[in-house]
Amino acid sequence: MKIESVDFFYLSMPEVHDIGDGSQDACLVRVRAGGVTGWGECEAAPLPSIAAFVCPMSHSACKPVQASVLGQPIDDVADIQRIGDLVRDQSLDLLQADHTLSGIDMALWDLLGKRLNEPAYRLLGYKAAYPKMPYSSMLFGGTPSETYEKGCRARGNGFRAAKFGWGQIGLGSVEADVEQFRAAREGLGEDGTLLVDIGTVWRDDIDAASERVKALQDVRATWLEEPFVSGALEAYKQLSLRTGPVKLAGGEGCHNFYMARQMIDYAGIGYVQIDAGRIGGISVAKRVADYAHTRGVTYVNHTFTSHLQLSASLQPFAGLEDDVIAEYPVEPKCLATDLTTNHIELDKDGFIHLPAAPGLGMTVNVARLKNYLVDAEIRFKGQVIYRTPDLD
Amino acid sequence: MKIESVDFFYLSMPEVHDIGDGSQDACLVRVRAGGVTGWGECEAAPLPSIAAFVCPMSHSACKPVQASVLGQPIDDVADIQRIGDLVRDQSLDLLQADHTLSGIDMALWDLLGKRLNEPAYRLLGYKAAYPKMPYSSMLFGGTPSETYEKGCRARGNGFRAAKFGWGQIGLGSVEADVEQFRAAREGLGEDGTLLVDIGTVWRDDIDAASERVKALQDVRATWLEEPFVSGALEAYKQLSLRTGPVKLAGGEGCHNFYMARQMIDYAGIGYVQIDAGRIGGISVAKRVADYAHTRGVTYVNHTFTSHLQLSASLQPFAGLEDDVIAEYPVEPKCLATDLTTNHIELDKDGFIHLPAAPGLGMTVNVARLKNYLVDAEIRFKGQVIYRTPDLD
């Protein structure tokens, strides 16, 4: 069969606030071929991602993503790999292309799984999908007592693990951060897995990070996430020599295989966190999972939006039994919740399981999403080259 | 003074062909503050770059570039650095932002130079701009005899150095490539500086590269450029151990300081090639030049479009006397030539000199560019958020 259509949908909450919550909008992708529909989602600014799909060619290595996708044969797994390679070659100089490709790649795995009646993780070569231990992924509270309450609530909601991040952490005094770390540990309880996310605010300032290391050791944090921007490999490496049992985690900003490989090779991280909605989709994420496995680095998904994204981001390491920690967004906006009719829920032991249904196993809630669909249009030389398509 | 306006202009040849020629369109940026106008140019797909400037906010780390630029104070060099940092923080998750920022950053150096009556390289801390030895940057001919003729022509036009790249090189047989290399050397003459550019077609295939090493040594190539994609550091490193006097060159795909630093730290390159129109502008490029200098790696500009771009890309290493090789586009489309009224010409000894005029020292040919200006428009929720501005 051939790819007949690729449609992008810009979904948004009525208002988007200036907070670290990535579930306020969504860039949904629908791919159709041979009577089958696949869905994916770019974890990306929708308008630039759409523009990267439809823009005019600038030169032979700066083509719109659609030039490498529309009309392509899609019959087996090798086709997905081939299409991704084609996008990377023909859109080499189009920076946003990796984000655009990510949602398309997900949709192709969904589509092919439905066509072949297999869940995506089986097509990826895994015999089974092992249970994952989700962590409740949350922002730090405005005060330590709010953070404490959030920790308690995570346990009350059945989570064995919780991650606190962003907000004011890392930006104020060391003492203020130490109080937040302690509050998180107290709220979560002594036996919970505690994860801390700095959100890159120290950029590459090793001293700012080092000042917080002892406190993180004292509260037995499992990892310290994104102390620095993704590329600051030497800063990561230096810090990793000082953190002892607290491992470094990072990688969500990686938008291709090589960036992730570099973090594994040079940054001294213990956990590589991959957003399948940014790195080029499930295909590239799986390649990272394979590589991390050979290098003794644990793979973790990075996900803070819908359960379509969640399913897609769990597929690449579904069959790695020991890589058990998984990110699970717990404070999504209703847009993210409404994106699918089914959801990946915690079982009574605090674990999650990928659906065994074909493809990504999620059903997009088309009727509900019409409430969030926004009109967007791009014109070039007087011609409409993009207009929000019908969602049906 | 404050930044009053930032305008993006999409310029294009009437037809854009599927060839490795990046001068077929342009993304020109105009910044105004305090009655002064600065100009810059993104080396990027125009529409996604414009979308990254005007798109709605997705969350606190995925804001449009304009949120960090419009209204900002711009009185001294520190302001340019601060604005760049703000863009990188507030548009962390907007992949295209680095390309969009690049043109703005150039325009800010142009603007501030005009305001302070200093050429940009002086504001960057260099006392003088040393002459550079430009190489004629060309595509390989379709046949070895065409390549030979191009080499002859480069010498006839006064160039001491020439780079051949793209076309079919690296994609066919080793023998075919060897013939091309020899033809290039013969055309250029024994004393010319010969550079070879593979254009990443081997991705990370060390064997494909190694098979051509002896021929490159035989023709005394000064460098082998982009045998692999920018991120394939380990492949670069392995190859660098086999090439002897032929040094590796790469880095044009870097879109932030860290990517360039990683190539310098881990890839074994002898030359780091930075496109100021991609890496985040003159500011980031200068930071790379400083770092390369401390690590014994030679800095080279990557430029294949207008002389506005050429001036901007020469500023970051203008004061490094020993880093003498410079890329110089010789086959630009008339759009690129018409972009400025003045041009950076070769002197009788085959060297080029940065203009001593304030800012970037180039005058944009507004009247001529109107012939190339294309209408583009982006609408969101029924509102026009971008429409091609007047060019005057």
Side-chain angles (χ1 to χ4, degrees):
Chain A
M1 52 188 178
K2 290 197 173 185
I3 296 177
E4 293 147 17
S5 66
V6 178
D7 290 307
F8 281 75
F9 301 93
Y10 189 154
L11 306 167
S12 178
M13 296 292 294
E15 285 189 53
V16 173
H17 299 283
D18 190 0
I19 54 173
D21 176 358
S23 70
Q24 302 181 83
D25 66 11
C27 183
L28 185 68
V29 184
R30 180 182 67 196
V31 178
R32 287 180 166 155
V36 186
T37 300
W39 295 93
E41 192 182 340
C42 310
E43 201 341 82
L47 260 183
S49 302
I50 293 167
F53 188 73
V54 300
C55 65
M57 171 171 68
S58 287
H59 56 81
S60 60
C62 193
K63 291 179 187 166
V65 173
Q66 66 180 355
S68 307
V69 179
L70 291 176
Q72 288 290 325
I74 174 77
D75 295 304
D76 57 32
V77 166
D79 286 323
I80 303 182
Q81 179 64 42
R82 185 181 47 77
I83 291 167
D85 286 341
L86 200 56
V87 170
R88 283 179 286 272
D89 284 347
Q90 297 203 119
S91 302
L92 179 72
D93 288 345
L94 207 178
L95 192 46
Q96 191 72 19
D98 291 317
H99 281 193
T100 302
L101 170 63
S102 297
I104 297 169
D105 180 272
M106 283 181 198
L108 290 175
W109 285 101
D110 190 38
L111 187 152
L112 197 62
K114 288 170 177 168
R115 174 73 172 201
L116 303 175
N117 203 31
E118 291 275 13
Y121 61 83
R122 296 269 298 178
L123 297 184
L124 286 166
Y126 292 129
K127 290 191 177 149
Y130 291 97
K132 301 293 178 193
M133 180 180 74
Y135 61 83
S136 173
S137 189
M138 302 179 289
L139 308 179
F140 270 103
T143 62
S145 65
E146 277 178 39
T147 296
Y148 172 82
E149 281 171 33
K150 285 186 165 202
C152 293
R153 209 177 312 138
R155 286 316 289 263
N157 289 336
F159 286 95
R160 295 164 170 265
K163 184 174 86 183
F164 296 86
W166 297 68
Q168 284 304 302
I169 209 74
L171 295 170
S173 70
V174 175
E175 293 70 28
D177 286 356
V178 171
E179 281 188 45
Q180 285 278 15
F181 298 157
R182 285 186 187 148
R185 167 53 75 197
E186 285 171 25
L188 186 62
E190 285 302 309
D191 61 339
T193 297
L194 174 60
L195 313 167
V196 172
D197 180 5
I198 300 300
T200 79
V201 297
W202 297 324
R203 272 189 215 143
D204 56 4
D205 181 350
I206 299 169
D207 291 337
S210 298
E211 289 172 349
R212 276 84 170 177
V213 164
K214 185 170 180 305
L216 290 164
Q217 291 173 340
D218 288 346
V219 299
R220 292 177 295 108
T222 295
W223 80 46
L224 171 61
E225 173 176 340
E226 287 221 312
F228 310 123
V229 292
S230 278
L233 304 183
E234 184 61 23
Y236 268 95
K237 182 70 184 179
Q238 291 301 320
L239 183 62
S240 76
L241 301 175
R242 306 182 191 180
T243 55
V246 181
K247 299 299 178 196
L248 299 187
E252 67 177 78
C254 295
H255 60 86
N256 59 52
F257 170 74
Y258 297 104
M259 294 175 81
R261 176 174 169 168
Q262 288 157 25
M263 295 209 72
I264 292 167
D265 286 350
Y266 304 116
I269 56 174
Y271 297 87
V272 64
Q273 304 173 288
I274 298 303
D275 196 315
R278 291 178 184 162
I279 202 161
I282 292 170
S283 307
V284 182
K286 172 63 161 56
R287 196 177 163 200
V288 176
D290 290 345
Y291 186 73
H293 193 63
T294 67
R295 300 297 294 252
V297 167
T298 304
Y299 184 99
V300 191
N301 65 303
H302 174 265
T303 309
F304 52 59
T305 55
S306 75
H307 282 213
L308 177 68
Q309 272 273 5
L310 181 61
S311 172
S313 68
L314 293 173
Q315 306 286 343
F317 71 122
L320 297 179
E321 189 170 6
D322 295 335
D323 294 11
V324 72
I325 300 178
E327 181 162 37
Y328 187 94
V330 293
E331 296 169 329
K333 291 283 181 287
C334 53
L335 158 58
T337 311
D338 285 349
L339 204 137
T340 52
T341 57
N342 56 335
H343 296 90
I344 297 172
E345 307 285 5
L346 269 63
D347 69 17
K348 64 178 172 35
D349 298 317
F351 285 82
I352 54 174
H353 307 266
L354 266 178
L360 301 181
M362 308 305 296
T363 303
V364 170
N365 195 341
V366 170
R368 190 70 71 90
L369 285 185
K370 288 178 181 170
N371 301 331
Y372 302 98
L373 189 61
V374 294
D375 284 328
E377 189 175 299
I378 303 177
R379 286 170 176 263
F380 177 76
K381 292 185 177 177
Q383 302 294 310
V384 174
I385 59 172
Y386 173 81
R387 182 178 283 157
T388 302
D390 284 337
L391 185 54
D392 49 34
Chain B
M1 51 187 179
K2 291 198 172 183
I3 296 176
E4 291 147 18
S5 67
V6 177
D7 289 307
F8 281 75
F9 302 94
Y10 190 154
L11 307 167
S12 179
M13 295 293 292
E15 284 190 53
V16 173
H17 300 284
D18 190 359
I19 53 173
D21 176 358
S23 70
Q24 301 180 84
D25 66 10
C27 184
L28 185 68
V29 184
R30 181 183 65 196
V31 178
R32 287 180 166 155
V36 185
T37 299
W39 295 93
E41 191 182 341
C42 311
E43 202 340 82
L47 259 183
S49 303
I50 292 168
F53 188 72
V54 301
C55 65
M57 171 172 68
S58 286
H59 56 82
S60 60
C62 195
K63 292 180 187 166
V65 174
Q66 66 180 357
S68 306
V69 179
L70 292 176
Q72 288 290 326
I74 175 74
D75 295 304
D76 57 33
V77 166
D79 286 323
I80 303 181
Q81 179 63 43
R82 184 181 49 75
I83 290 167
D85 286 342
L86 200 58
V87 170
R88 283 180 285 272
D89 284 348
Q90 297 203 119
S91 301
L92 179 71
D93 288 346
L94 206 179
L95 192 46
Q96 191 73 18
D98 291 316
H99 281 192
T100 302
L101 170 63
S102 297
I104 297 170
D105 179 273
M106 282 179 199
L108 290 175
W109 286 101
D110 190 37
L111 187 152
L112 198 62
K114 288 170 176 168
R115 174 73 171 202
L116 303 176
N117 203 31
E118 291 273 16
Y121 61 83
R122 296 268 301 177
L123 297 184
L124 285 166
Y126 291 129
K127 289 191 178 148
Y130 290 98
K132 301 294 178 193
M133 179 181 74
Y135 60 84
S136 173
S137 189
M138 304 178 288
L139 308 179
F140 270 105
T143 62
S145 65
E146 277 179 39
T147 296
Y148 172 82
E149 282 170 33
K150 286 187 165 203
C152 294
R153 209 178 312 137
R155 286 317 287 262
N157 288 334
F159 286 94
R160 294 164 170 264
K163 185 174 85 182
F164 296 86
W166 297 69
Q168 285 304 303
I169 207 75
L171 296 169
S173 70
V174 175
E175 292 69 29
D177 287 355
V178 171
E179 281 187 46
Q180 285 280 14
F181 298 157
R182 285 185 187 150
R185 166 54 76 196
E186 284 170 27
L188 186 61
E190 285 302 307
D191 60 338
T193 298
L194 173 61
L195 314 167
V196 172
D197 180 4
I198 300 301
T200 80
V201 296
W202 297 324
R203 274 189 213 141
D204 56 5
D205 181 348
I206 300 170
D207 292 337
S210 299
E211 289 171 348
R212 275 85 169 176
V213 163
K214 183 168 180 308
L216 290 165
Q217 291 172 340
D218 288 345
V219 300
R220 293 178 295 107
T222 296
W223 79 47
L224 171 61
E225 174 175 339
E226 289 219 312
F228 311 123
V229 293
S230 278
L233 304 184
E234 184 61 23
Y236 269 95
K237 182 70 186 179
Q238 291 301 320
L239 182 61
S240 76
L241 301 175
R242 306 182 193 181
T243 54
V246 180
K247 299 299 177 193
L248 299 187
E252 68 177 77
C254 296
H255 61 85
N256 59 52
F257 170 75
Y258 297 105
M259 295 175 82
R261 176 173 168 167
Q262 289 156 24
M263 295 209 72
I264 292 167
D265 286 351
Y266 304 117
I269 55 174
Y271 296 86
V272 64
Q273 304 173 288
I274 298 304
D275 196 315
R278 292 178 183 161
I279 201 161
I282 292 170
S283 308
V284 182
K286 172 63 161 57
R287 197 176 163 202
V288 176
D290 290 345
Y291 185 72
H293 194 63
T294 66
R295 302 296 294 252
V297 168
T298 304
Y299 185 100
V300 191
N301 64 303
H302 175 265
T303 309
F304 52 60
T305 55
S306 75
H307 283 212
L308 178 68
Q309 272 272 8
L310 181 61
S311 172
S313 67
L314 292 174
Q315 306 287 341
F317 71 122
L320 298 179
E321 189 170 6
D322 294 336
D323 295 11
V324 71
I325 300 178
E327 182 163 37
Y328 187 93
V330 293
E331 295 169 328
K333 291 283 181 290
C334 54
L335 158 57
T337 310
D338 284 349
L339 206 137
T340 51
T341 56
N342 56 334
H343 297 90
I344 298 173
E345 308 286 4
L346 267 66
D347 68 17
K348 63 178 173 33
D349 298 318
F351 285 82
I352 53 174
H353 307 265
L354 266 177
L360 301 181
M362 307 306 295
T363 303
V364 170
N365 195 341
V366 170
R368 190 69 72 88
L369 286 184
K370 286 177 182 170
N371 300 330
Y372 303 99
L373 188 61
V374 293
D375 284 329
E377 188 176 299
I378 304 176
R379 288 169 173 263
F380 177 76
K381 291 185 178 178
Q383 303 293 311
V384 175
I385 60 173
Y386 173 81
R387 182 177 285 159
T388 302
D390 284 336
L391 184 55
D392 50 32

